[in-house]
Amino acid sequence: MAELSQQDLERLAADPSSAARAATASKVASTWKATALTPEARAEAEQVLRLLAKDAAVAVRQALSDHLKDASLLPAGLAMTLARDIDSVALPLLLEGKVFSDEDLIEIAATQGSNKQVAIASRKEVSDAVAASLIQHGNDKVAATLAANEGAELSDATAEKLVEKHGASGAVQEKLAARKYVPLRVLEKLYSMASESIRDKLLEREDVSSEMASDLALQAREIATVGSSIASQEEDVSRLATHLHQSGRLDPGIVVRALCMGDMFLFEHGLARRANVPIERARQLIYDPVGGLKYVYERAFMPQGLYPAVRAALEVAQETSYDGGPSDRERYRRKMIERVLTKVEDADPATADYLLSRLSTLTQSLAHLPSA
């Protein structure tokens, strides 16, 4: 490409039409990308590029962005000037531009609109740090775009954040279910809040074993059980606990989850059924400060490694007031789980992993249940 001539510059100054300036912008941008420019010509082209980036005509700035999107180098600050421009100017460069650092893209994700965030999420390669910023600042459409992009790096922690913030979106569920790699813990969280059709797709994944499929189905039943009984009368909960016990579905996970979510009726009746003691006696033991809880807990064949967590949760339940309203329920749940996890920080890794997985999954799933 020939260098920008003095005649080109004179034509740019003389012709006031936006079409002429756009044509000149295209030539200047193409000239800038050429490798055979003299230092003087490159400096001159750079000066013109900066002027064109501030041109009042959108067509001029669009031409500039479109012709610079595949450039491997740009004058300092020019890329960000164009990236902060209106969408029609910024999007081509954000989608394909090679000159942005992760810091640049993170700034755009945090300060610009959703269309620009979608463009960044659609890039051929997206680092984990940029993905995390998009998840934090973007909407469900941004998250779904990111989930569908196999070139987007999603660490286990970032993928969890994506599900926690955007997992209720059907589009996000669908894209994650089709993604080549999804961490198992993320699959658990996703399954618990997904629609039936998405659940079927998750179970069909090659990385989901038959054992994991059974476990996912069990967790979904546990969540549905706890979620449906929180606002029920004690008589109804008693019948539910009896039915679950008789059908072999009164899993320890249901009992622990019920306690950690403030469903005291299901916790008490569940423990009583598993221990085969009357509910009145079970309550006396559960709230006995000397050691009754441990006795009824062991009699109910509950996991020994979870006993410290159950005891901690019961302490929180007795200390924390709960007015029964939806907003207070969320506060109660969060305080309960935070306290439980704090109490078992020094527990054996298997116990900690179980709690982090089960309680975190339950919290995210129940957050999307209808409020009573």
Side-chain angles (χ1 to χ4, degrees):
M1 176 69 68
E3 296 182 9
L4 191 67
S5 66
Q6 184 63 35
Q7 185 179 14
D8 291 323
L9 296 177
E10 291 174 356
R11 185 182 302 112
L12 175 63
D15 190 340
S17 71
S18 60
R21 297 201 307 279
T24 302
S26 299
K27 183 170 184 178
V28 175
S30 298
T31 299
W32 166 260
K33 292 187 295 183
T35 58
L37 288 178
T38 65
E40 293 78 10
R42 183 168 294 278
E44 189 174 61
E46 179 175 327
Q47 181 181 5
V48 176
L49 285 174
R50 295 185 185 280
L51 290 173
L52 291 170
K54 299 177 182 179
D55 197 290
V58 172
V60 175
R61 307 197 306 277
Q62 286 177 332
L64 195 63
S65 174
D66 189 58
H67 281 77
L68 291 176
K69 62 187 180 184
D70 60 348
S72 57
L73 181 68
L74 285 180
L78 181 59
M80 290 299 283
T81 296
L82 294 171
R84 295 188 186 103
D85 208 325
I86 62 174
D87 288 351
S88 60
V89 174
L91 297 187
L93 198 62
L94 285 174
L95 181 61
E96 300 182 45
K98 304 174 183 179
V99 296
F100 295 107
S101 66
D102 276 2
E103 289 74 17
D104 292 336
L105 295 174
I106 289 171
E107 179 185 327
I108 295 298
T111 61
Q112 302 295 304
S114 61
N115 288 340
K116 294 180 182 180
Q117 292 167 340
V118 168
I120 295 174
S122 303
R123 288 170 64 87
K124 186 176 181 180
E125 295 181 356
V126 181
S127 73
D128 184 64
V130 174
S133 181
L134 289 167
I135 292 167
Q136 179 182 354
H137 300 287
N139 57 23
D140 289 348
K141 182 179 180 181
V142 176
T145 303
L146 198 62
N149 183 1
E150 295 291 348
E153 180 183 350
L154 297 178
S155 66
D156 288 10
T158 301
E160 281 195 61
K161 290 179 182 177
L162 191 154
V163 173
E164 289 170 4
K165 186 169 184 182
H166 304 284
S169 163
V172 172
Q173 294 174 8
E174 182 177 354
K175 300 303 181 184
L176 273 179
R179 190 174 175 86
K180 290 181 180 179
Y181 169 73
V182 180
L184 294 183
R185 188 163 156 185
V186 173
L187 286 177
E188 289 180 352
K189 290 186 177 183
L190 184 62
Y191 186 90
S192 65
M193 62 180 68
S195 64
E196 284 298 324
S197 61
I198 298 299
R199 286 183 177 182
D200 290 342
K201 291 181 180 179
L202 290 173
L203 296 181
E204 293 170 0
R205 289 175 60 93
E206 294 183 357
D207 53 355
V208 174
S209 65
S210 58
E211 292 79 9
M212 183 180 179
S214 298
D215 189 52
L216 289 174
L218 174 61
Q219 287 187 44
R221 289 198 297 270
E222 291 177 3
I223 289 165
T225 299
V226 176
S228 64
S229 66
I230 285 178
S232 302
Q233 298 297 317
E234 181 174 3
E235 184 179 350
D236 295 330
V237 176
S238 176
R239 285 196 295 267
L240 173 62
T242 299
H243 171 72
L244 291 172
H245 184 56
Q246 291 175 346
S247 62
R249 289 176 48 204
L250 190 56
D251 185 88
I254 290 180
V255 179
V256 174
R257 287 171 183 235
L259 171 61
C260 290
M261 300 311 293
D263 189 351
M264 300 307 296
F265 285 157
L266 184 56
F267 169 70
E268 295 165 351
H269 283 269
L271 211 56
R273 294 296 183 280
R274 287 183 60 89
N276 194 27
V277 297
I279 182 60
E280 294 79 9
R281 179 58 177 158
R283 283 199 174 109
Q284 290 175 351
L285 292 168
I286 289 170
Y287 299 105
D288 173 28
V290 177
L293 174 63
K294 187 171 181 61
Y295 170 80
V296 71
Y297 186 87
E298 291 177 347
R299 185 181 173 93
F301 299 100
M302 296 288 287
Q304 288 300 310
L306 289 180
Y307 177 72
V310 170
R311 185 176 58 189
L314 192 60
E315 290 176 2
V316 178
Q318 293 175 292
E319 296 170 2
T320 307
S321 61
Y322 171 46
D323 65 14
S327 61
D328 193 51
R329 179 187 303 161
E330 180 63 24
R331 177 188 64 84
Y332 183 91
R333 290 171 177 169
R334 291 185 181 278
K335 183 173 181 179
M336 180 78 80
I337 291 175
E338 288 172 4
R339 178 75 175 272
V340 170
L341 295 179
T342 299
K343 285 282 187 178
V344 296
E345 280 183 348
D346 298 327
D348 64 272
T351 299
D353 287 346
Y354 179 94
L355 284 170
L356 285 170
S357 175
R358 294 298 208 197
L359 297 184
S360 180
T361 300
L362 178 67
T363 304
Q364 296 303 322
S365 303
L366 289 184
H368 302 290
L369 290 175
S371 300

